[in-house]
Amino acid sequence: MNDHDKETNGASTRARMLELVHAAPTVQAIHVAARLGIADRLAGGPKHAEELAREVGAHGPSLRRLLRFLTDMDIFEEDASGRFALTPLADTLRSGPGSARGVALHVGEPWTWRKWGELHHTVMTGEPAFEKAHGMRFFDYLATNPAARATFDELMTELSVTQIPAILRAYDFSPFRRIVDVGGGRGGLLAAILAQNPSASGVVYDAPEVEKTAAAGGVGGRLEAASGDFFASVPPGADAYLLKWILHDWRDEDALRILANCRRAIGEAGTLLVVEMVVPEHGRHDSKAEDVFVMATLPGRERTEAEFRSLFRAAGFRLTRLVPTESPLTILEGEPER
Ligand code: SAH
């Protein structure tokens, strides 16, 4: 490599770094566009920023500058007359099934955004940045802020849109008569499982403040909602206990308390189904970004296969199978150790 090449590479590496460093305006600009529902407002055709600003009560010149910045990333495009239009990326911010709007809303909201300013605290102490920023634990915050609770549940529901079909394709739920989804949120995953398995019934179990909306839909009356604290108990009498994205929220001793309650409920037979990202020993994987997100928010972490295996064993389960899905999630199947 000659000196010139070195310099060019050095400059482009630095430019790449500056791009990474400047992520904040990008995330917040997408968030604001999502919050103002700009993509929905352009569904009928292009509009000037002034017109959009009038519709949403924004400051016209500033909205124009925001949208102009987003066109640089191919989110919206601007024609010669200064009208903004949808692009394929902008289209994902339209509301409705399969949308990315809920994720953009959640990630940039001031109350979730604030934790990132405290990431240094997490790295120095091991404590969640969220708790430093808000003076309370994440799920306590959600319990006392219904609007925050709603965007979080919406986020989980939206993220599930691609995960649910991947889980259903990867795993055969037909042997089960009754399934409890522990920390099942609004209940979308269990509703989808029951829809595919007409002889099964189930219970979506989560904190009282969670609206288990999928249960209201019924799945022919086979999906019930139950509220409670999984550290106290989980509903008894099922032959499968499903925990998706639960254990990664908690440190080992708390994860063990949840699993111990499942172990008591399962009795001598039954199946434990833990759905999580499994951190590979080497190589790139989505679990590593998810892990930093979790670390900033909650006392938990993403785990390796070996870590799951010892967690299962400590709770009285044997890890029988790891079933990969087309999504970054893996289904970890366990049975009671006899
Ligand atoms: N399984 C869902 C939601 C995962 S988020 C999905 O994958 O989309 C974690 C869930 O655990 C939240 O819905 C939260 O309300 C629930 N949760 C947290 N603490 C809980 C507790 N002590 N008892 C019951 N549910 C709890």
Side-chain angles (χ1 to χ4, degrees):
M1 192 188 279
N2 62 34
D3 279 357
H4 175 74
D5 283 342
K6 258 189 218 156
E7 206 170 286
T8 319
N9 283 340
S12 66
T13 304
R14 181 172 177 279
R16 169 75 183 128
M17 178 51 85
L18 292 185
E19 211 179 290
L20 292 171
V21 163
H22 281 114
T26 305
V27 177
Q28 279 298 335
I30 295 169
H31 167 74
V32 172
R35 187 155 148 185
L36 297 179
I38 301 295
D40 285 329
R41 291 171 188 280
L42 293 178
K47 287 179 185 171
H48 283 103
E50 281 299 338
E51 186 182 351
L52 286 165
R54 270 195 305 278
E55 288 179 19
V56 301
H59 179 245
S62 301
L63 181 60
R64 172 160 184 271
R65 290 158 72 184
L66 185 98
L67 296 177
R68 193 176 60 178
F69 166 55
L70 288 171
T71 64
D72 261 6
M73 283 158 275
D74 300 317
I75 308 169
F76 306 112
E77 58 191 11
E78 190 180 3
D79 66 18
S81 74
R83 290 184 316 167
F84 290 92
L86 291 176
T87 61
L89 274 177
D91 209 51
T92 66
L93 294 178
R94 288 171 61 188
S95 338
S99 166
R101 185 172 178 223
V103 181
L105 285 176
H106 179 82
V107 168
E109 276 189 306
W111 72 273
T112 71
W113 184 254
R114 260 173 69 186
K115 67 176 173 291
W116 294 118
E118 303 292 351
L119 188 61
H120 175 263
H121 174 78
T122 298
V123 173
M124 300 313 282
T125 64
E127 290 161 16
F130 187 93
E131 293 175 19
K132 174 86 165 25
H134 291 280
M136 71 175 101
R137 293 182 304 180
F138 181 71
F139 286 117
D140 293 340
Y141 184 90
L142 293 190
T144 47
N145 289 276
R149 180 79 236 187
T151 60
F152 176 75
D153 292 336
E154 181 61 33
L155 167 81
M156 300 313 289
T157 305
E158 225 171 64
L159 292 177
S160 295
V161 164
T162 46
Q163 298 169 346
I164 290 173
I167 291 167
L168 286 173
R169 273 196 291 273
Y171 194 85
D172 176 17
F173 291 88
S174 68
F176 306 124
R177 300 277 71 83
R178 191 164 175 82
I179 305 168
V180 175
D181 191 352
V182 178
R186 291 187 173 170
L189 171 60
L190 189 51
I193 293 172
L194 297 183
Q196 226 184 39
N197 295 279
S199 57
S201 68
V203 183
V204 54
Y205 181 63
D206 207 300
E209 63 273 11
V210 179
E211 290 179 33
K212 290 125 189 126
T213 44
V219 205
R222 291 181 287 123
L223 176 52
E224 297 158 36
S227 297
D229 174 5
F230 52 42
F231 290 113
S233 67
V234 303
D239 50 2
Y241 285 79
L242 184 59
L243 295 90
K244 173 171 166 282
W245 259 352
I246 301 302
L247 299 184
H248 80 159
D249 290 345
W250 307 101
R251 58 173 70 93
D252 282 357
E253 53 266 43
D254 291 330
L256 278 175
R257 286 166 62 202
I258 302 168
L259 287 177
N261 286 335
C262 294
R263 179 67 184 81
R264 255 189 295 279
I266 276 184
E268 292 316 303
T271 303
L272 178 74
L273 296 168
V274 168
V275 185
E276 294 279 353
M277 291 182 186
V278 176
V279 185
E281 297 292 345
H282 305 287
R284 294 182 185 214
H285 194 256
D286 290 1
S287 56
K288 295 173 188 185
E290 183 67 21
D291 187 48
V292 172
F293 196 90
V294 165
M295 169 170 99
T297 312
L298 288 144
R301 65 198 163 84
E302 304 301 318
R303 293 178 171 90
T304 62
E305 179 180 340
E307 288 167 341
F308 276 116
R309 199 172 288 283
S310 61
L311 202 57
F312 271 46
R313 191 178 308 120
F317 288 102
R318 196 168 64 84
L319 178 57
T320 45
R321 244 184 347 139
L322 276 86
V323 183
T325 74
E326 293 153 16
S327 81
L329 296 168
T330 295
I331 302 166
L332 299 108
E333 185 193 65
E335 62 178 30
E337 193 99 63
R338 275 176 273 268

